[in-house]
Amino acid sequence: MSLPIRYIFAVASLGLLSAGIYDYLKNFEENGCEMTWMFEYPKYIKVHMDDAVARRFPQYGLHIYGEGEYARKVSSLKLTGVPVLFIPGNAGSYRQVRSLASVALRKAESSRSKFEFNYFSVNLNEELVGLFGGLIQDQTEFVHECIKLILTFYAGAPKPPTSVILVGHSMGGLLARALFTLPTFDPSLVTTIITQATPHQAPAIAIDNVLSSFYDEINTYWRLHANSTLRDMTVVSTGGGYRDILVRNGLTTLKGVVSQDRGVSTSTMSVPKAWVSTDHLCAVWCRQMVLVTKRAMFDIIDPNTHQVTTDADRRMHVFRHHFLSNSGSQKLRENIPGEMTLDPKIPWEVKQDKLFRFSAEKMSSTKYFAIPLIRETEESAVEIDSVIIMSNITRDDWVCACTLKENQDRCTSCINLSAKAQSLPPTYSNKKVIKMYLKELGEATHIVVIAAHSKQKVEVLVEQYPMIERHLIFGLPGIYDTIISYPVSVLDMAAMLQIRNDSVYYSLHLAGLEGPLRAYTAHIIPRRCRKLHAAEYEGIVYTLNVPWSNESTYGFSKYRETAHFPVKVQSGKPRDAEDEAVHLEMFLHPSCSYHLKLTTSPVHVMGQFVRFYGVLFPCFFVCVLLLTLRGHFLKLASGDICCPGAEAVFVYSKPFIVLPFVLAFRYVASYKKVEKLLTSLGLPRDDKEALESRDLWFQALTFLMFFSTFLISLVHVRFTQSVIAVVSWALGLVFRWVPEFILNLSLYVEVCVCVLALVSALTVCGSVSILLCYFLMVAKVLWLCNRWASTRVREDESRFNFFFILLMIYLWLLVLNSPSLIVWAKNFRYSVALSTDPSKIVGVITSVVSLLYFINDKVEFNKSSCTIVSWLLYMMVFSSLLYAMDSIYRLSYVIAAALCVIAVPKLEAMAVAAMFPPKTKDE
């Protein structure tokens, strides 16, 4: 491949990735969350911990929330309410409890409730437990101490609580579940956990070994003890949807972790009366979600004890109502009448049409609208077998079905259908819908809508239709079909539908929308609308239902406005859902006809690629660099010099160099006998299995990732090398006045810094030593670049090219170990040394290898040693693609092993030079 062509492909690949990053970070709807407001100034009253606990956890604390008079009341810690403990997440603040606590306080006061919620919050020093697992065990044990202390504040209460409700944001939700793995924890202390944007399945990025092991321990415990110590536990998990760029929705599900009859998983985009996507921090203050959460918490309180009910089934019933399937009622209804008696004094109006519409600014009196069910019709060649009922009536029992007997002009009783309703957006419209097949109504002859007396606007819409005309199947094009039909599939349509007037409902099964890399844009365009103006809440409601998870997305578009929305999934399709398909439901305004277009969206596809697979890039970047370093040793083995960075990447890091052997190994390892052999040898599981368990694996993934990384690395290495050349030239001009003897002292400075780095790794933190070695390597590469530019000697060029690739590898080593560095700096005032330091071994190795290469920067080695090193580096790349693709924490150890390997020829060269020093001219 010629030079211009390779860089055209590389820049194009970088452009596609940049488009995906932009889509991932920015290309979603505006934040629809409303703010929560306080009426009085918040106070976070610090709770005194036991002296032993305070000495053990000096950086942590416990607070109780209060406002105004309530703050003065709870400051005595003589409490009688329902205890709730808020646990913040990764870098989260204890002050994030404000929204939930303030709304709960106002709701208790406004409803004159006989009980109140006492909100506590733990201060976990805003630590990065989502990236660094060294402190997560301490946090779990501290939360346990807080729970035991909180319950002591209710000793004088008439009905003291026996458990605490836990609300965990982000990693705080994982801490709540981790409590049950503590040997001394009493499971009866916690029966309800509500988590917000918590990655239950796996870390958002597996960059820490301790954290990954912690996840395995917790999830294994919850699977094994679902029917024993956890049988009375109820857990709610909500993900943030598209706007949460830190924890994608697929990681927040409880599937396979918590028993289905004890856990509720959903997305904030699906929660009835919320229907908003929340970013990671917004999850704690979004008013719509706060209100839903508080309604659920009030409903799980036992009216007799004024504490959380001990009936787990009752709590699950409440959570399902508020978070999954709200029929339109504000409160959970306990006894819904199955049969209703119709008042003979209320007017009975019969409406004969297939499409019945009613709208009034207010209802001065109650009316019964009776719509006869049409079983057969002469107008249509197909049988009418379905009915849809939509209304904004606020009454709980508002619709029923009755059987009109002969010689009667009206029904006297009917079967209540109100519980079958489903709430629809927008949030304050009170809109709800019932969809039924006529056969479900048995022998019923009429639908009866009860339009009760109301001062608000009342709308009713009932349509009977044949299912075969409204429930359609669309086959969406795949990637191959999109490419061969370009640009039609992107600019014009992947699917199209014309919808005539007087149509209320369509359901489209989208065959082919299975994996996360399928992404489209839907356009619902209104045409020939009969009305010029409409009320605020009139328009189109659309929902994208994903049957294998509770992550349906809802949207609303005003009357006569075109609706544009993404059509994509937030989690992979599991193997046990092969027969299920995503379907798009549209609730339309009958005054308009509509034109529906589905177009392939390359930008959304790239955004999905970044969202689901972006965390895999570190492995492939490191592999490309290690293959490039291997190429340098191959050149040295042949007696040549190291070639420039970008050229070395292109020549020695092509995908076909290693991927065919990885694919072959995976094929052989798929046999059970080979799999048992590999397990007996102590080898870890292939990361392919972890991706398969999350339904994210496809056969071309490794090639696609490696090829895109290979192209991007060409641009990245060339750009970085150019920057170094410019900076080196500029520094050369600035420091050219420095005397030569001072520059000769640089070797001693390098040795001293390496020794300091080694001491730091052993006594303080391994990441500190990696940081020191990285900056030292930057200075070394700048000096070598300036020297080569001045001398133009081949040996100097070889040194610069070799050390430049080492610098790129050191950069990734620093990035991978940066969480340890940040946590060490944050906790420095409490402890000089990092207690649990996963970077210590890596830091020691980096310091020693840096010392060896800075003492003697020549890259002239024994040819046979270079050949052996090149093959060892190849095996490390091979192993990384198998075991460090998703388990990123292993990359640090792979790089450390690579540094140990390249230290061998350097030690050998130094030993030979010491044993057989070069002879002088006289000798």
Side-chain angles (χ1 to χ4, degrees):
M1 187 183 294
S2 64
L3 190 64
I5 295 177
R6 78 175 69 157
Y7 282 105
I8 288 173
F9 276 101
V11 171
S13 180
L14 183 61
L16 287 173
L17 182 63
S18 301
I21 294 173
Y22 173 81
D23 179 81
Y24 172 56
L25 296 177
K26 295 291 183 181
N27 194 13
F28 37 69
E29 75 280 3
E30 294 183 4
N31 194 342
C33 284
E34 300 171 1
M35 290 290 295
T36 49
W37 302 96
M38 298 169 299
F39 295 92
E40 295 179 275
Y41 193 78
K43 290 186 178 180
Y44 305 90
I45 304 164
K46 189 166 185 178
V47 177
H48 176 72
M49 303 295 296
D50 182 79
D51 291 341
V53 175
R55 284 194 301 271
R56 186 181 173 193
F57 307 105
Q59 69 273 40
Y60 301 150
L62 177 64
H63 299 259
I64 184 171
Y65 179 88
E67 296 177 13
E69 181 60 33
Y70 174 74
R72 289 187 288 274
K73 173 185 173 183
V74 299
S75 60
S76 65
L77 296 178
K78 296 178 180 179
L79 307 175
T80 58
V82 180
V84 182
L85 178 61
F86 176 78
I87 310 173
N90 182 59
S93 168
Y94 65 93
R95 297 175 183 269
Q96 291 173 314
V97 72
R98 180 193 63 80
S99 295
L100 276 170
S102 181
V103 170
L105 175 61
R106 296 305 159 197
K107 182 173 173 61
E109 291 178 350
S110 62
S111 62
R112 297 181 181 180
S113 173
K114 295 181 180 179
F115 59 88
E116 63 187 12
F117 288 90
N118 306 129
Y119 267 86
F120 295 83
S121 183
V122 287
N123 178 7
L124 297 177
N125 197 30
E126 300 183 13
E127 291 172 337
L128 297 176
V129 289
L131 299 175
F132 179 78
L135 300 173
I136 199 165
Q137 186 67 31
D138 287 347
Q139 290 190 356
T140 306
E141 294 177 6
F142 179 74
V143 171
H144 182 203
E145 297 295 335
C146 290
I147 292 172
K148 292 188 293 185
L149 179 63
I150 287 170
L151 290 175
T152 64
F153 300 146
Y154 295 85
K159 297 176 181 177
T162 57
S163 65
V164 178
I165 299 175
L166 299 185
V167 179
H169 172 244
S170 186
M171 292 298 291
L174 188 73
L175 289 180
R177 290 178 47 230
L179 287 166
F180 293 84
T181 64
L182 297 177
T184 58
F185 182 74
D186 180 1
S188 66
L189 297 180
V190 175
T191 59
T192 302
I193 298 175
I194 299 175
T195 67
Q196 304 165 323
T198 296
H200 289 287
Q201 294 291 327
I205 177 169
I207 200 171
D208 184 87
N209 182 28
V210 176
L211 184 60
S212 296
S213 300
F214 194 73
Y215 262 91
D216 291 340
E217 179 185 355
I218 295 169
N219 289 342
T220 300
Y221 180 92
W222 277 70
R223 293 186 190 104
L224 295 177
H225 295 81
N227 297 319
S228 55
T229 56
L230 301 172
R231 64 182 179 276
D232 294 325
M233 269 300 306
T234 50
V235 186
V236 175
S237 175
T238 58
Y242 298 144
R243 290 188 62 86
D244 193 338
I245 62 175
L246 298 181
V247 178
R248 59 180 178 81
N249 213 70
L251 294 176
T252 64
T253 179
L254 297 171
K255 184 178 180 180
V257 175
V258 178
S259 174
Q260 279 191 333
D261 60 346
R262 288 294 178 261
V264 170
S265 303
T266 187
S267 165
T268 58
M269 301 175 72
S270 308
V271 173
K273 300 184 180 298
W275 300 302
V276 289
S277 178
T278 60
D279 60 53
H280 199 62
L281 293 178
C282 175
V284 299
W285 59 257
C286 180
R287 185 172 181 269
Q288 292 94 317
M289 283 303 302
V290 168
L291 289 176
V292 171
T293 304
K294 287 317 304 173
R295 292 182 195 125
M297 292 176 71
F298 271 82
D299 282 349
I300 63 173
I301 301 302
D302 189 322
N304 297 318
T305 64
H306 297 161
Q307 295 295 335
V308 177
T309 177
T310 56
D311 186 348
D313 292 330
R314 155 81 182 168
R315 295 196 302 272
M316 284 300 298
H317 181 53
V318 170
F319 291 142
R320 290 192 184 103
H321 169 77
H322 287 287
F323 289 95
L324 296 182
S325 56
N326 191 318
S327 62
S329 59
Q330 290 288 347
K331 293 189 67 176
L332 176 66
R333 302 181 64 197
E334 298 296 338
N335 300 308
I336 301 175
E339 186 173 350
M340 299 166 56
T341 301
L342 299 176
D343 190 343
K345 298 178 182 179
I346 295 177
W348 176 274
E349 296 186 11
V350 179
K351 304 297 179 180
Q352 296 286 351
D353 298 331
K354 286 191 300 181
L355 175 62
F356 165 62
R357 297 170 62 188
F358 173 81
S359 178
E361 292 301 321
K362 63 179 181 178
M363 292 294 297
S364 56
S365 62
T366 302
K367 289 184 179 181
Y368 292 149
F369 294 116
I371 301 95
L373 296 176
I374 305 172
R375 307 280 182 175
E376 298 179 1
T377 177
E378 297 178 358
E379 300 176 5
S380 176
V382 294
E383 180 184 0
I384 292 178
D385 54 6
S386 304
V387 62
I388 182 169
I389 311 162
M390 294 178 64
S391 180
N392 67 340
I393 296 173
T394 55
R395 174 174 169 154
D396 287 337
D397 298 313
W398 61 279
V399 63
C400 61
C402 74
T403 303
L404 188 63
K405 298 179 181 178
E406 294 184 10
N407 303 322
Q408 284 186 337
D409 57 356
R410 61 185 294 161
C411 295
T412 57
S413 64
C414 60
I415 304 301
N416 193 356
L417 302 178
S418 305
K420 297 181 181 295
Q422 170 193 358
S423 296
L424 289 179
T427 304
Y428 302 108
S429 66
N430 292 318
K431 192 176 293 186
K432 44 198 170 186
V433 64
I434 295 176
K435 307 186 297 290
M436 297 185 71
Y437 296 118
L438 296 186
K439 63 183 180 181
E440 296 179 64
L441 298 173
E443 299 298 323
T445 59
H446 289 72
I447 294 289
V448 181
V449 178
I450 305 170
H453 169 76
S454 174
K455 294 181 180 180
Q456 299 176 343
K457 184 172 183 177
V458 173
E459 294 178 326
V460 179
L461 189 62
V462 181
E463 184 189 20
Q464 301 177 64
Y465 62 90
M467 181 189 70
I468 194 171
E469 292 182 355
R470 304 291 181 85
H471 295 215
L472 308 177
I473 298 177
F474 274 19
L476 296 178
I479 296 176
Y480 174 75
D481 298 323
T482 300
I483 293 173
I484 63 174
S485 61
Y486 182 86
V488 175
S489 59
V490 175
L491 301 178
D492 192 4
M493 61 182 177
M496 183 175 67
L497 177 66
Q498 299 287 351
I499 302 172
R500 65 179 184 271
N501 294 80
D502 297 331
S503 299
V504 176
Y505 174 73
Y506 267 84
S507 176
L508 308 179
H509 283 245
L510 305 179
L513 184 57
E514 301 174 351
L517 295 186
R518 299 283 187 92
Y520 308 86
T521 301
H523 314 267
I524 306 177
I525 307 164
R527 294 180 175 180
R528 297 186 294 276
C529 295
R530 296 168 184 164
K531 292 170 57 177
L532 292 178
H533 305 287
E536 181 182 5
Y537 295 130
E538 287 190 73
I540 309 167
V541 176
Y542 50 86
T543 173
L544 188 71
N545 294 312
V546 183
W548 55 82
S549 64
N550 295 315
E551 58 178 46
S552 300
T553 57
Y554 291 77
F556 171 74
S557 179
K558 291 185 177 180
Y559 183 72
R560 297 176 69 96
E561 290 185 2
T562 300
H564 305 278
F565 56 94
V567 177
K568 55 188 179 182
V569 297
Q570 301 176 56
S571 59
K573 185 176 182 179
R575 295 178 181 178
D576 57 359
E578 289 296 329
D579 298 331
E580 298 177 337
V582 176
H583 60 280
L584 171 65
E585 289 185 299
M586 297 178 291
F587 304 92
L588 307 167
H589 198 290
S591 294
C592 299
S593 61
Y594 293 92
H595 178 67
L596 170 68
K597 286 201 309 182
L598 285 170
T599 57
T600 304
S601 177
V603 174
H604 283 321
V605 170
M606 292 308 302
Q608 291 285 87
F609 182 73
V610 172
R611 173 182 286 272
F612 286 89
Y613 302 107
V615 295
L616 307 183
F617 271 114
C619 172
F620 291 91
F621 275 111
V622 170
C623 287
V624 167
L625 292 174
L626 290 180
L627 285 177
T628 306
L629 184 62
R630 171 180 178 268
H632 284 334
F633 277 96
L634 288 175
K635 294 287 279 186
L636 295 173
S638 65
D640 204 348
I641 65 170
C642 302
C643 55
E647 183 66 25
V649 168
F650 181 76
V651 174
Y652 296 105
S653 300
K654 291 185 174 114
F656 64 79
I657 292 176
V658 66
L659 289 187
F661 301 99
V662 173
L663 294 175
F665 180 85
R666 281 189 171 134
Y667 176 77
V668 174
S670 63
Y671 289 97
K672 291 186 178 181
K673 290 184 178 180
V674 178
E675 184 180 355
K676 289 181 179 179
L677 175 62
L678 296 176
T679 303
S680 65
L681 294 175
L683 292 177
R685 289 193 315 160
D686 187 348
D687 276 359
K688 167 191 170 184
E689 296 181 25
L691 294 172
E692 283 179 332
S693 67
R694 301 198 290 271
D695 307 305
L696 297 178
W697 175 260
F698 60 95
Q699 291 300 327
L701 176 61
T702 309
F703 172 79
L704 187 62
M705 293 293 302
F706 201 111
F707 186 68
S708 57
T709 306
F710 165 71
L711 292 175
I712 294 168
S713 295
L714 286 175
V715 178
H716 178 219
V717 170
R718 174 58 67 109
F719 175 78
T720 307
Q721 203 161 358
S722 300
V723 170
I724 286 176
V726 172
V727 174
S728 174
W729 172 79
L731 291 176
L733 293 179
V734 172
F735 294 103
R736 61 184 176 182
W737 55 269
V738 178
E740 186 70 23
F741 76 91
I742 293 181
L743 294 177
N744 291 335
L745 296 176
S746 61
L747 174 61
Y748 300 101
V749 174
E750 291 170 351
V751 171
C752 290
V753 172
C754 288
V755 172
L756 176 63
L758 179 60
V759 173
S760 299
L762 292 171
T763 60
V764 179
C765 175
S767 295
V768 175
S769 67
I770 296 172
L771 180 65
L772 291 172
C773 292
Y774 173 73
F775 282 126
L776 196 60
M777 185 64 74
V778 171
K780 185 72 173 181
V781 169
L782 289 171
W783 182 79
L784 289 173
C785 182
N786 183 269
R787 180 175 176 179
W788 170 49
S790 302
T791 63
R792 290 296 172 182
V793 175
R794 283 169 53 85
E795 287 74 14
D796 290 337
E797 179 186 6
S798 183
R799 291 182 195 178
F800 168 70
N801 293 331
F802 184 88
F803 275 86
F804 172 76
I805 294 300
L806 271 186
L807 173 64
M808 303 292 286
I809 294 173
Y810 272 42
L811 174 61
W812 274 107
L813 194 60
L814 179 62
V815 169
L816 293 169
N817 290 275
S818 57
S820 300
L821 182 65
I822 296 171
V823 171
W824 169 79
K826 194 173 185 64
N827 291 328
F828 183 77
R829 57 178 174 168
Y830 302 110
S831 175
V832 175
L834 193 61
S835 57
T836 303
D837 186 10
S839 63
K840 175 176 285 188
I841 296 175
V842 179
V844 170
I845 292 174
T846 305
S847 304
V848 172
V849 174
S850 299
L851 180 62
L852 291 176
Y853 272 89
F854 288 145
I855 289 176
N856 183 354
D857 60 12
K858 292 183 179 181
V859 289
E860 298 170 356
F861 308 123
N862 181 279
K863 293 182 179 180
S864 60
S865 297
C866 289
T867 302
I868 295 172
V869 167
S870 68
W871 279 109
L872 290 174
L873 290 174
Y874 182 89
M875 293 305 299
M876 290 174 190
V877 172
F878 180 85
S879 302
S880 298
L881 293 174
L882 291 172
Y883 307 118
M885 186 168 55
D886 182 60
S887 305
I888 301 174
Y889 61 86
R890 292 172 180 154
L891 283 177
S892 292
Y893 301 106
V894 171
I895 295 175
L899 293 178
C900 290
V901 167
I902 67 172
V904 173
K906 171 60 70 175
L907 284 171
E908 182 186 13
M910 294 173 66
V912 170
M915 294 173 61
F916 307 101
K919 296 182 180 180
T920 63
K921 185 178 293 186
D922 294 338
E923 291 174 329

